[in-house]
């Protein structure tokens, strides 16, 4: 299988290793070796090129440990759960929806625990490990809990996503962007989920890297100024409607997807197109990429529309690598409620408008003496409350119950009067909606390894795009002779001086060295031979075509630089010779 071939080479050549191997390992954790670390960082830097440079967003960095109240507000403490079941015989635990899918082939993600329990019972699904009976299904919170401070009085969690670190400082970010929508903020970093039984290698990790953008937009305007640049881009969309009838994914242009309401908004469709281009630029073939819309049963509690970018793999089938969601105003509203900070944005109208408004007027002769020191905060709160609701309470119950800071204040008709006034309104305060593309960097890295790998004749090759390859160029002396090695060392050092990752290899035959170079995906090799000593020229070999071109040593750094940043193609060098 291709997966096994790739993972074997990944381990052998220093891309990916199981963590804590000398202690028998721990499921859900992987090390990135010397080459894997470079590859992953290049993928992240390319992501930054798309979102920081291309989209004009800014990046922040927030702590990976978050206090409980922040994650209570986000819904993670109460809702970030997976369904768990346990074998009564071997006591192994499993994620219930995964066990069911593996056993009967049905997608049951999002169903209630009771429904999953009934399916396990009805279908007589047994433990996949020992064949024992499974227990009822219960909810298991995926967050790693920790204690903050020496006395451990404050509960914290390792963050399950990077997004909340952007929502919480929203007021400062809004000020940074001069109070204007739309704007985007990104964060790349570690997130943590204590998976029940991670059995899919780097596909399901307990510690992983996310690259997320939070794009804050006016709920009434979800257009995108650059949409016409992607309007004719063809997307493979597997909508919820098509999934329900077991249909085939739809090949459709971005413009048609918006016009037909397949995707909920222009800006969300634009993000699908951006993700599609990003994956293709990483070397992922178009025929293994699709966009799958979340079914109603699996839609997150905060989302009105969500699409997963999925990549096909020979071992795991279709895997999600990117999630792109319209999170609405859930996060900012929730953090406003829990923190009592106003996280709304003032939206100025094109033209001021005059409205009639009912206002509440306290009778200060009675109000002040009755509530004393609490009177100012009660009055400030009344300004934020719709006067109609107070008036309706008076008409129904002759009293309005005001709850404030844990206290309940009884407001009666003799304390308040109402007046209708005309008011010029220049705008309104609203909670922005959030469009979120969330990239799983580890799964994307695995997909790049899988789909860039090929076995051609007797060669193992990673066909990485030239700007993604961990090592940019290898330098070889044709044979291991002092004068050739010395010249090769000078060339390698000149390449490194230009910021290129270059390696010197003198071990074995030139054929074996080319094979090792291809196996780690190095796009170019420079070979020093006897002719080099005569005319100061070397050969540059291209990995994919195996063709070679001879150029002057003095031109090697500039030429390789231009090749790696795609300023020129290798065929351009052939044309010059």
């Amino acid at each position: 299988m291709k997966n096994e071939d790739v993972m074997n080479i990944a381990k052998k050549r220093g891309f990916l290793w199981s963590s804590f191997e000398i202690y028998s390992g721990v499921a859900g954790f992987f090390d990135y070796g010397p080459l894997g670390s470079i590859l992953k960082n290049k993928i992240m830097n390319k992501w930054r090129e798309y979102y920081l440079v291309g989209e004009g967003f800014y990046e922040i960095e927030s702590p990976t440990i978050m206090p409980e109240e922040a994650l209570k507000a986000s819904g993670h403490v109460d809702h970030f759960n997976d369904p768990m079941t346990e074998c009564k015989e071997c006591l192994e635990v499993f994620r219930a929806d995964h066990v069911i899918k593996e056993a009967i082939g049905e997608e049951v993600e999002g169903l209630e625990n009771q429904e999953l329990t009934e399916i396990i019972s009805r279908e007589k699904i047994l433990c996949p490990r020992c064949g024992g009976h499974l227990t009822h299904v219960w909810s298991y919170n995926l967050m790693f809990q920790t204690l903050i401070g020496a006395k451990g009085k404050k509960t914290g969690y390792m963050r399950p996503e990077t997004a909340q670190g952007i929502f919480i400082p929203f007021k400062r970010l809004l000020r940074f962007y001069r109070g204007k929508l739309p704007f985007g903020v990104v964060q790349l970093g570690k997130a943590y989920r204590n998976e029940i039984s991670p059995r899919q290698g780097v596909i399901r990790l307990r510690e992983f890297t996310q690259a997320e953008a939070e794009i804050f937009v006016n709920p009434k305007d979800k257009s995108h100024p650059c949409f016409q640049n992607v309007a004719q881009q063809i997307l493979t969309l597997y909508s919820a409607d098509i999934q329900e009838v077991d249909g085939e994914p739809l090949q459709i242009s971005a413009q048609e997807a918006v016009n037909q309401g397949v995707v909920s908004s222009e800006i969300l469709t634009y993000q699908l197109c951006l993700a599609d281009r990003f994956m293709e630029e990483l070397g992922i073939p178009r025929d293994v990429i699709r966009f799958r819309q979340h079914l109603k049963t699996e839609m997150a509690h905060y989302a009105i529309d969500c699409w997963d970018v999925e990549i096909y793999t020979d071992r795991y089938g279709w895997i999600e690598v990117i999630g792109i969601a319209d999170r609405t105003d859930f996060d900012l509203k929730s953090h406003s409620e829990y923190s009592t900070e106003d996280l709304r944005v003032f939206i100025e109208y094109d033209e001021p408008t005059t409205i009639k408004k009912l206002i509440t007027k306290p009778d200060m002769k009675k109000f002040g003496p009755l509530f004393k020191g609490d009177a100012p905060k009660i009055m400030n709160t009344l300004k934020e409350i719709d006067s109609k609701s107070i008036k309706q309470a008076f008409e129904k119950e002759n009293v309005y119950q005001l709850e404030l800071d844990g206290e309940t204040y009884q407001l009666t008709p003799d304390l308040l009067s109402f007046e209708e006034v005309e008011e010029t309104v220049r705008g309104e305060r609203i909670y922005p909606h959030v469009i979120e593309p969330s990239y799983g960097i580890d799964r994307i890295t695995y997909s790049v390894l899988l789909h860039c790998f090929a076995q051609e004749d007797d060669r193992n090759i990673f066909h990485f795009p030239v700007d993604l390859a961990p090592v940019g160029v290898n330098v070889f002396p044709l044979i291991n002779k002092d004068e050739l090695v010395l010249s090769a060392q000078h060339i390698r050092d000149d390449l490194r001086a230009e910021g290129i990752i270059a390696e010197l290899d003198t071990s074995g035959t030139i054929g074996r060295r080319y094979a090792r170079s291809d196996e780690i995906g190095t796009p170019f090799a420079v070979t020093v031979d006897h002719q080099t000593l005569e005319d100061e020229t070397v050969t540059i070999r291209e990995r994919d075509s195996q063709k070679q071109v001879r150029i002057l040593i003095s031109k090697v750094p500039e030429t390789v630089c231009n090749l790696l940043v795609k300023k020129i193609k290798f065929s351009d060098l052939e044309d010059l010779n």
Side-chain angles (χ1 to χ4, degrees):
M1 292 178 67
K2 191 175 183 181
N3 172 79
E4 293 177 358
D5 293 331
V6 169
M7 293 308 294
N8 285 337
I9 292 175
K11 290 176 181 178
K12 181 176 75 170
R13 293 300 186 193
F15 286 95
L16 284 170
W17 299 317
S18 297
S19 298
F20 319 117
E21 282 183 315
I22 64 172
Y23 296 105
S24 301
V26 179
F29 296 94
F30 269 80
D31 292 344
Y32 284 87
L35 298 181
S37 183
I38 298 173
L39 177 65
K40 180 180 176 181
N41 277 295
K42 286 196 171 187
I43 290 171
M44 290 193 291
N45 287 335
K46 185 170 285 292
W47 189 90
R48 286 185 170 99
E49 289 174 14
Y50 267 68
Y51 284 91
L52 273 70
V53 180
E55 297 300 301
F57 300 163
Y58 280 88
E59 182 177 353
I60 69 167
E61 182 178 324
S62 61
T64 59
I65 297 176
M66 305 190 77
E68 184 176 41
E69 52 266 38
L71 292 166
K72 183 78 174 173
S74 68
H76 285 89
V77 173
D78 296 323
H79 300 291
F80 198 60
N81 302 307
D82 271 350
M84 179 190 284
T85 184
E86 183 179 23
C87 176
K88 294 179 181 179
E89 277 73 31
C90 71
L91 304 182
E92 183 65 72
V93 294
F94 303 94
R95 184 165 160 176
D97 52 345
H98 288 180
V99 169
I100 293 171
K101 184 177 181 180
E102 290 172 7
I104 65 175
E106 289 185 17
E107 183 60 68
V108 293
E109 185 176 347
L111 295 184
E112 296 293 330
N113 290 346
Q114 182 59 35
E115 294 176 276
L116 297 174
T117 300
E118 291 171 0
I119 293 172
I120 289 173
S121 176
R122 183 177 67 246
E123 300 293 338
K124 296 181 173 56
I125 298 172
L126 300 175
C127 171
R129 180 179 177 183
C130 75
H133 292 280
L134 298 172
T135 65
H136 71 281
V137 178
W138 74 96
S139 293
Y140 164 78
N141 194 283
L142 294 174
M143 291 191 294
F144 284 99
Q145 190 179 64
T146 187
L147 298 174
I148 300 173
K151 294 184 178 180
K153 292 183 177 180
K154 193 172 187 65
T155 300
Y157 295 92
M158 305 300 289
R159 66 184 181 192
E161 62 179 15
T162 61
Q164 298 306 318
I166 297 175
F167 298 135
I168 291 169
F170 175 74
K171 289 180 76 170
R172 293 191 178 278
L173 292 167
L174 180 62
R175 193 175 300 119
F176 176 84
Y177 279 98
R178 298 183 290 279
K180 300 294 184 182
L181 296 177
F183 66 85
V185 182
V186 309
Q187 185 163 195
L188 280 78
K190 295 287 189 180
Y192 307 84
R193 298 181 184 180
N194 197 8
E195 296 284 354
I196 296 171
S197 53
R199 294 175 293 158
Q200 296 177 295
V202 291
I203 302 305
R204 195 162 295 280
L205 296 174
R206 287 176 164 138
E207 176 183 302
F208 54 94
T209 302
Q210 280 187 316
E212 293 190 304
E214 308 302 328
I215 307 163
F216 300 95
V217 303
N218 186 335
K220 297 178 181 177
D221 182 10
K222 292 186 178 179
S223 62
H224 195 285
C226 299
F227 185 74
Q228 287 308 310
N229 296 341
V230 302
Q232 301 311 311
Q233 187 171 329
I234 302 299
L235 298 170
T236 302
L237 301 184
Y238 195 28
S239 69
D241 291 341
I242 293 175
Q243 292 172 62
E244 288 173 359
V245 296
D246 291 326
E248 291 297 317
L250 182 67
Q251 297 281 331
I252 189 173
S253 73
Q255 186 69 67
E256 290 173 318
V258 173
N259 293 345
Q260 297 176 22
V262 180
V263 186
S264 62
S265 67
E266 194 174 274
I267 190 168
L268 196 64
T269 310
Y270 178 86
Q271 288 301 321
L272 299 187
C273 293
L274 211 60
D276 191 49
R277 291 184 178 185
F278 178 79
M279 296 303 292
E280 190 174 11
E281 196 169 333
L282 295 185
I284 308 294
R286 294 195 64 83
D287 60 354
V288 299
I289 302 173
R290 76 177 185 187
F291 295 82
R292 188 185 71 82
Q293 188 178 32
H294 281 205
L295 300 170
K296 291 179 182 178
T297 55
E298 61 179 318
M299 193 78 73
H301 60 280
Y302 51 73
I304 57 171
D305 196 9
C306 185
W307 294 77
D308 288 341
V309 183
E310 295 186 327
I311 303 296
Y312 187 77
T313 67
D314 65 314
R315 179 168 182 179
Y316 306 114
W318 290 98
I319 61 168
E320 172 200 353
V321 297
I322 305 169
I324 303 174
D326 185 333
R327 294 181 74 120
T328 67
D329 58 8
F330 171 84
D331 297 279
L332 293 181
K333 263 188 177 178
S334 187
H335 283 299
S336 286
E337 178 186 341
Y338 276 80
S339 69
T340 69
E341 289 283 345
D342 187 357
L343 300 182
R344 291 177 297 172
V345 176
F346 181 76
I347 302 294
E348 190 171 353
Y349 296 150
D350 293 335
E351 294 289 340
T353 183
T354 301
I355 63 169
K356 289 185 177 180
K357 182 180 180 182
L358 188 69
I359 64 169
T360 305
K361 300 182 68 175
D363 184 343
M364 294 309 299
K365 290 181 181 179
K366 298 179 180 179
F367 206 82
L370 179 61
F371 296 114
K372 299 182 174 58
D374 290 341
K377 70 177 183 180
I378 295 173
M379 291 171 59
N380 286 332
T381 302
L382 288 174
K383 292 176 184 178
E384 300 295 325
I385 298 173
D386 184 6
S387 297
K388 291 180 181 178
S389 64
I390 302 175
K391 192 174 183 181
Q392 288 171 356
F394 284 170
E395 292 170 354
K396 289 182 179 180
E397 302 172 4
N398 211 40
V399 66
Y400 181 79
Q401 308 274 359
L402 176 65
E403 294 185 3
L404 182 62
D405 295 339
E407 297 283 338
T408 300
Y409 299 93
Q410 307 276 346
L411 303 181
T412 53
D414 62 307
L415 297 175
L416 302 172
S417 62
F418 302 96
E419 181 182 348
E420 191 172 66
V421 298
E422 285 192 348
E423 185 176 294
T424 299
V425 180
R426 301 187 179 278
E428 63 180 319
R429 296 184 68 79
I430 59 99
Y431 287 103
H433 279 202
V434 176
I435 307 298
E436 178 194 70
S438 176
Y439 287 59
I441 297 298
D442 304 279
R443 292 186 179 190
I444 291 173
T445 303
Y446 168 76
S447 300
V448 168
L449 286 167
L450 185 69
H451 288 291
C452 287
F453 178 75
Q455 291 178 312
E456 300 173 6
D457 300 326
D458 58 346
R459 295 196 303 160
N460 292 321
I461 311 171
F462 278 115
H463 290 285
F464 298 128
V466 294
D467 57 344
L468 213 62
V471 177
V473 58
N474 281 316
V475 184
F476 304 136
L478 183 63
I479 55 175
N480 196 4
K481 291 187 65 174
D482 288 348
E483 58 267 37
L484 297 182
V485 172
L486 185 61
S487 180
Q489 288 174 340
H490 287 316
I491 294 170
R492 178 204 60 190
D493 294 344
D494 288 344
L495 288 163
R496 288 180 174 177
E498 295 297 322
I500 298 168
I501 296 179
E503 290 295 338
L504 175 69
D505 188 354
T506 62
S507 176
T509 66
I510 190 67
R512 286 184 177 273
R513 282 179 271 163
Y514 283 144
R516 285 198 295 269
S517 181
D518 294 341
E519 195 169 67
I520 64 170
T522 306
F524 305 105
V526 173
T527 304
V528 178
D529 55 22
H530 294 291
Q531 187 177 337
T532 304
L533 304 177
E534 299 172 5
D535 60 11
E536 295 282 307
T537 65
V538 293
T539 60
I540 295 184
R541 173 187 180 269
E542 185 187 39
R543 174 197 65 208
D544 296 340
S545 67
Q546 301 185 66
K547 293 181 177 179
Q548 298 189 21
V549 172
R550 201 159 195 96
I551 66 170
L552 289 169
I553 289 177
S554 59
K555 292 186 177 181
V556 167
E558 180 186 3
T559 301
V560 173
C561 272
N562 289 336
L563 287 168
L564 292 176
V565 299
K566 300 182 179 179
K567 191 174 181 179
I568 61 173
K569 297 178 181 178
F570 192 79
S571 57
D572 297 331
L573 299 183
E574 294 181 281
D575 294 340
L576 294 175
N577 281 263

